[in-house]
Amino acid sequence: MMKGLILKKIFNKFEYEKIKFVVLRNHEDIPERLSLDNDLDLLIDHKNISSIKKILLKNNFKQKRKLLDTDTYLYKSKPHIHFYDYKNKIHLDIVNNLSYRSPNNNEWISVHENIQKSLWKNLIKTNELWLYKPSNKDLLLHIICHCIFDKKNINYKYQAKIKYLFRNCDTVELNNLLGLVFFKFTDKLISMINNNNMEGIVKEYFAFSDY
């Protein structure tokens, strides 16, 4: 209960201050399944970062910085910003754009600008405490990228989510967005999702060479 009240207060303050934000995924975990290990992934507009920091610090969150950040950030990607409410076990993982791990040397790379714009343009206003969520196609693309590039695995939870979102989004628009990331692998990817063969997607992608 306390976690929900804290997050509702923060998100309402963001809304009042006209701060752009959206919880990226795992909305079903909010609030009670959130923990210091199971964080809440928050996408924000980088122009609002100073205002966001002030609000979080005022609400008993502490910013935790890496002592030594050995990651490489390319293009417009930037380090994640982590805020913790240790007493109530809330961890906010804040990013300023959609970036994923590169298959090459594990660098962080931001995705195509059209994908970034699509997510912000198609936000859905909700009556839930998080206020906004990505559209089905934008959420689906994000989960696919997160699983393939960051996790190198699509677990059963995400398989079910991918299946649901795929059935409930515009596949033409989805295909166009996927093509900006996966190029010639896009048709294969969609076919594997359609045939419920998601366990093999990561292996197939990293073995794919017809670019």
Side-chain angles (χ1 to χ4, degrees):
M1 180 68 72
M2 183 58 69
K3 290 179 183 178
L5 291 174
I6 292 167
L7 291 171
K8 185 175 183 179
K9 179 181 178 182
I10 288 169
F11 292 150
N12 284 341
K13 183 65 173 176
F14 287 175
E15 178 84 337
Y16 178 77
E17 298 286 346
K18 294 183 169 49
I19 290 171
K20 287 175 63 175
F21 73 96
V22 61
V23 175
L24 281 174
R25 59 181 181 273
N26 296 332
H27 302 83
E28 63 275 9
D29 288 347
I30 304 170
E32 294 307 322
R33 279 183 286 189
L34 295 176
S35 67
L36 297 180
D37 293 322
N38 185 27
D39 58 26
L40 185 153
D41 297 279
L42 196 65
L43 175 67
I44 56 104
D45 188 322
H46 69 94
K47 296 194 294 291
N48 298 135
I49 188 59
S50 61
S51 298
I52 288 170
K53 286 182 178 181
K54 286 179 183 177
I55 291 169
L56 292 176
L57 292 171
K58 191 173 181 179
N59 284 275
N60 302 312
F61 280 80
K62 307 293 183 187
Q63 184 177 359
K64 185 175 181 181
R65 296 180 175 88
K66 283 186 179 180
L67 293 177
L68 179 63
D69 189 350
T70 57
D71 286 335
T72 300
Y73 302 90
L74 302 179
Y75 307 109
K76 294 183 179 180
S77 64
K78 293 184 183 297
H80 292 208
I81 304 170
H82 295 271
F83 276 90
Y84 293 83
D85 177 341
Y86 290 102
K87 179 181 178 182
N88 295 292
K89 297 181 171 53
I90 304 173
H91 173 193
L92 303 181
D93 182 354
I94 300 174
V95 294
N96 77 318
N97 70 5
L98 297 172
S99 298
Y100 305 98
R101 294 282 190 179
S102 164
N104 297 319
N105 296 306
N106 218 34
E107 311 99 332
W108 289 100
I109 297 180
S110 57
V111 292
H112 196 285
E113 192 65 25
N114 287 356
I115 295 172
Q116 315 276 355
K117 290 178 180 178
S118 177
L119 189 138
W120 287 118
K121 179 182 177 182
N122 297 299
L123 283 186
I124 297 172
K125 185 74 182 287
T126 79
N127 293 321
E128 305 290 350
L129 67 85
W130 51 83
L131 299 181
Y132 298 95
K133 68 176 184 178
S135 70
N136 284 350
K137 73 173 186 298
D138 294 308
L139 178 56
L140 177 54
L141 175 61
H142 167 64
I143 288 174
I144 291 171
C145 290
H146 176 64
C147 289
I148 293 177
F149 298 120
D150 298 343
K151 298 299 185 182
K152 312 291 191 294
N153 175 58
I154 305 178
N155 63 28
Y156 292 122
K157 172 185 172 181
Y158 280 133
Q159 286 182 34
K161 194 72 174 179
I162 289 170
K163 191 187 304 183
Y164 169 80
L165 292 169
F166 186 74
R167 289 198 305 262
N168 291 279
C169 74
D170 186 315
T171 52
V172 173
E173 292 181 359
L174 175 66
N175 188 80
N176 291 335
L177 291 176
L178 285 170
L180 297 173
V181 179
F182 295 101
F183 307 104
K184 291 184 179 179
F185 185 69
T186 301
D187 289 343
K188 177 75 171 177
L189 174 59
I190 289 177
S191 174
M192 293 182 77
I193 293 172
N194 208 23
N195 292 319
N196 201 27
N197 182 20
M198 282 176 274
E199 289 186 2
I201 285 175
V202 173
K203 183 178 179 181
E204 285 284 336
Y205 174 73
F206 284 101
F208 190 77
S209 59
D210 186 23
Y211 284 102

